[in-house]
Amino acid sequence: MSQVTYFVALPFRYVDGEMVAGEPQECRDAFKARSVAAVLASNADNCGAVAFSRTGDPALGEFDDAVIIVRLGEVDDALM
């Protein structure tokens, strides 16, 4: 079993009054994910962003729960 950790920045925005998750951006490490999330959160089209990591085995499709690196602005936990 080969464990891999993915780092992701995920923006959030309002569409027709409802918060929706935007396009996730895979990053090379936690520092980059935090930086990308900060840029996404500062975008006027977005209401917030989160950077997180997930570790697991892609071959089996089994991953641990996400580990939040940073949360910026408005983020809906139910959408992550």
Side-chain angles (χ1 to χ4, degrees):
M1 183 167 21
S2 177
Q3 295 285 312
V4 175
T5 299
Y6 292 101
F7 297 95
V8 179
L10 181 65
F12 290 87
R13 68 184 65 191
Y14 282 103
V15 175
D16 297 327
E18 290 189 39
M19 189 181 294
V20 297
E23 186 70 27
Q25 294 188 28
E26 189 174 338
C27 301
R28 68 178 175 264
D29 55 36
F31 179 78
K32 182 68 174 179
R34 180 187 302 265
S35 298
V36 171
V39 170
L40 293 171
S42 69
N43 182 319
D45 292 335
N46 298 327
C47 60
V50 64
F52 65 91
S53 66
R54 289 194 72 195
T55 300
D57 186 337
L60 297 176
E62 295 177 359
F63 288 87
D64 296 337
D65 291 338
V67 175
I68 303 299
I69 298 167
V70 69
R71 215 184 252 287
L72 303 162
E74 293 181 60
V75 175
D76 186 346
D77 290 337
L79 296 176
M80 296 191 339

